Amino acid sequence: MFLRLSLSLVGVAVLCVSAHAQNASGTVIFRFDGPTHWSEQGAAVANAGDQNGDGINDMLVAAPGECAVYLYSSTDGALIHTWYGERHATGEGDFGCSIDSIADLDGDGTRDIVIGERLHEHNGFPHAGQAYVYSGATDQKIYTFSYDEYSSFFGAKVCVAGDLNMDGFEDILIGAPGADIGGMSGVGFIHAYSGADGSLLYRIEGNSATTRNLGSSMSRYHDTNGNNRDDFLVGWGYEDLRLHNGRDGSILNHWAGSGSTINPTVIARIHDWDGDGIKDFMTTGDGAGQHDAAYIMAGWNGAVITTIDSLGGTIKAMTKVKDLSGDGVDDIAFGMPTTGSSQEHTVGLVQVHDGVTGDLLYAMPGERRLEQMGFSLANMGDINGDGLGNFLMGAPGTTFDFSVDRGTAHLFSCEQLPLTLAIPGPKAGETFEARIFGAPWKADLYLCYSMSGAGPTPWNYGLAFDLSMPINHIVPFKATDDGDAFFGPAPLPPSLPSGTQVWVQIFSYAPSVSGREFELSNMVPVVLQ
């Protein structure tokens, strides 16, 4: 995400602001905004693997209100590809409500993309649902999976499951949490499909009136029974969590039951937390008051290793994150999109906790009412080479530019970037664009300029401008995620001919950010072309 600043050099300065936000603990590297109102960008996010051959994992961001899934480069944030649902023109179908990436199925050398569309109308059945596999390199559709039942919501959850049938291809789990089974409404089922040819491998059905919405919560796991196939975890209703055999879907283990404090609406595999040589997992459950807790559970028997409570909201998403605390162990992130005060309901919050102690490392709150920060999360590994993990976080309720629920997705880094200014070559009589990186969260920013050359010019608090007096500045603007804002007129000379040099620097004032109250960027000399 860049802060784009347009300055007219012919009398009026117009500032177009889309801030590169930062809190005291880290930085948003890129921000991806939904294209229109009701896009709900960020309702689902996923790691796409390396799609453009640069050796870095790229990013999948869904905008189901737009019936679109976007593939972005993690190197520069550029849009690589877009997949549209059949009802893109009307915004119906919820295409992209769930997304995942799968090891190359069509032999083009890139990972492929799995997309769910739970509200798709199929053969006259409203909300029957559908799911697809697309080539990661093109918009070519590899498979289409359908189910004919009113409001079965087939495709509400898609999940890559590893190689279940040992044919050398990863396979796919698709949930239909609204399906009726044996006369029982909304019990749900899960289908396992072959990645090699798209055939149905097996079906897991809900089997009681208390098992509701089977297929809304599931996660790939590891081989637990020595048959060289990944197994998987499934939430059965609101109290049961079960481990399924990847070979045939049979139940290997069953935890919780009536009266349990576990509520497996979200499940995620993690590292070996307790050091017994077996990877563990985490799920949601009852916490203090009306809030959720995260239960860290042992992979070999499902015993609760530890509980992370006082998270302050309902957990909608969770993921492991490459080590952020420097102890060599992966950490974990939780998204709570409904967290917020009564005045800022559903602002949302993302917290990162230590993977050894469970202690809170970072907290990233949303900025405005109904934003729903943390609705989705995805582990991206270390994409910027700083040795720290990066992750995507979605906020599909974000409203800006008078567009409701446009939504955003943020790529987060825990590395603090310095306040940096970059300006492409401007032309006389036209505007030029300035880009600002690493601005403190909600800081007041002042674009300062001098016609007199380079400094230094001493100032208060031990700071020294790199500009010479007199130093002028534009009307201050905020480093927020509010999208675009416009300011002007500004006190720039009314006319500047080609060859004129202007020296530019950004000054930041952020009283709420400890240790970064006042900050100066680098100075950029600008010569009009």
Side-chain angles (χ1 to χ4, degrees):
M1 176 180 56
F2 303 117
L3 184 151
R4 297 189 303 276
L5 183 97
S6 298
L7 296 180
S8 169
L9 299 181
V10 289
V12 176
V14 182
L15 283 71
C16 174
V17 181
S18 179
H20 184 92
Q22 180 175 18
N23 70 0
S25 301
T27 303
V28 173
I29 303 174
F30 298 117
R31 169 183 155 185
F32 307 105
D33 294 338
T36 64
H37 65 283
W38 310 115
S39 293
E40 297 179 332
Q41 178 117 327
V45 295
N47 185 329
D50 179 16
Q51 295 287 331
N52 56 2
D54 62 3
I56 300 174
N57 292 328
D58 297 309
M59 300 168 285
L60 286 173
V61 178
E66 185 75 7
C67 286
V69 175
Y70 302 99
L71 173 65
Y72 295 101
S73 167
S74 292
T75 301
D76 58 10
L79 179 64
I80 300 173
H81 196 79
T82 304
W83 293 273
Y84 291 113
E86 296 174 5
R87 290 168 172 77
H88 167 64
T90 61
E92 300 173 346
D94 216 27
F95 180 86
C97 63
S98 181
I99 53 178
D100 205 348
S101 70
I102 188 169
D104 183 26
L105 299 180
D106 58 358
D108 62 8
T110 62
R111 292 182 66 84
D112 298 315
I113 311 303
V114 186
I115 301 175
E117 186 179 20
R118 63 179 176 176
L119 301 183
H120 181 88
E121 180 178 334
H122 190 257
N123 288 339
F125 292 93
H127 300 171
Q130 201 153 271
Y132 317 86
V133 179
Y134 289 88
S135 167
T138 69
D139 61 358
Q140 184 67 40
K141 195 180 295 180
I142 301 173
Y143 301 126
T144 298
F145 305 108
S146 302
Y147 188 74
D148 290 346
E149 181 186 317
Y150 170 73
S151 293
S152 71
F153 306 121
F154 181 79
K157 178 70 173 178
V158 297
C159 177
V160 173
D163 186 2
L164 302 179
N165 57 357
M166 298 296 289
D167 62 359
F169 292 87
E170 289 188 333
D171 301 310
I172 305 156
L173 301 175
I174 300 177
D180 298 343
I181 303 294
M184 293 177 289
S185 176
V187 174
F189 67 78
I190 295 169
H191 279 179
Y193 291 97
S194 166
D197 59 16
S199 61
L200 179 64
L201 298 178
Y202 51 80
R203 169 184 172 107
I204 303 170
E205 296 182 351
N207 55 19
S208 74
T210 58
T211 302
R212 307 289 297 176
N213 305 127
L214 181 66
S216 61
S217 174
M218 51 190 172
S219 174
R220 180 177 180 172
Y221 201 37
H222 62 91
D223 177 23
T224 63
N225 58 354
N227 65 2
N228 297 317
R229 309 162 199 254
D230 283 349
D231 301 316
F232 54 93
L233 295 156
V234 175
W236 282 67
Y238 303 114
E239 294 177 339
D240 284 7
L241 176 62
R242 304 188 184 189
L243 173 67
H244 290 257
N245 188 341
R247 181 178 63 84
D248 57 10
S250 59
I251 296 173
L252 296 174
N253 213 334
H254 173 207
W255 303 292
S258 179
S260 170
T261 56
I262 294 175
N263 179 4
T265 55
V266 188
I267 314 167
R269 58 178 178 169
I270 56 172
H271 57 282
D272 176 16
W273 187 288
D274 55 6
D276 63 359
I278 301 173
K279 291 182 179 179
D280 301 313
F281 62 94
M282 57 184 173
T283 189
T284 47
D286 296 339
Q290 300 298 312
H291 298 151
D292 279 354
Y295 287 76
I296 310 300
M297 304 181 70
W300 72 279
N301 68 352
V304 177
I305 301 171
T306 190
T307 302
I308 301 176
D309 208 339
S310 302
L311 293 171
T314 300
I315 300 172
K316 173 67 177 179
M318 54 173 58
T319 184
K320 66 178 181 180
V321 181
K322 181 178 170 58
D323 179 32
L324 299 177
S325 58
D327 59 9
V329 178
D330 286 347
D331 299 311
I332 50 178
F334 306 105
M336 294 158 284
T338 59
T339 300
S341 68
S342 58
Q343 292 79 26
E344 297 179 330
H345 186 55
T346 63
V347 166
L349 172 69
V350 174
Q351 289 186 354
V352 180
H353 289 252
D354 186 88
V356 175
T357 65
D359 293 340
L360 178 64
L361 298 176
Y362 304 100
M364 290 137 281
E367 291 192 341
R368 65 189 63 80
R369 188 174 180 268
L370 304 178
E371 183 175 0
Q372 300 183 72
M373 177 66 77
F375 192 92
S376 60
L377 295 170
N379 175 28
M380 295 301 301
D382 177 14
I383 65 171
N384 59 354
D386 63 0
L388 303 174
N390 305 112
F391 57 93
L392 275 169
M393 48 189 182
T398 305
T399 295
F400 53 93
D401 289 351
F402 306 104
S403 297
V404 177
D405 289 348
R406 278 182 65 174
T408 62
H410 306 75
L411 177 64
F412 186 79
S413 170
C414 289
E415 179 187 26
Q416 288 191 357
L417 300 180
L419 184 63
T420 304
L421 172 65
I423 302 176
K427 294 182 179 180
E430 298 182 7
T431 63
F432 69 91
E433 181 181 82
R435 293 178 176 179
I436 299 171
F437 303 91
W441 191 267
K442 295 188 177 181
D444 290 318
L445 300 176
Y446 300 80
L447 187 139
C448 304
Y449 69 94
S450 171
M451 306 294 293
S452 303
T457 299
W459 194 63
N460 295 328
Y461 307 100
L463 295 179
F465 278 91
D466 294 321
L467 307 173
S468 290
M469 294 294 290
I471 298 173
N472 305 295
H473 70 79
I474 305 295
V475 175
F477 51 96
K478 284 281 189 183
T480 69
D481 285 342
D482 287 335
D484 293 337
F486 296 91
F487 298 81
L492 284 176
S495 178
L496 296 173
S498 177
T500 301
Q501 185 157 10
V502 181
W503 289 263
V504 184
Q505 191 170 18
I506 288 288
F507 169 65
S508 165
Y509 172 57
S512 62
V513 179
S514 176
R516 301 186 68 193
E517 185 171 5
F518 301 101
E519 190 171 4
L520 288 168
S521 76
N522 56 307
M523 182 191 68
V524 177
V526 176
V527 179
L528 301 186
Q529 300 175 2

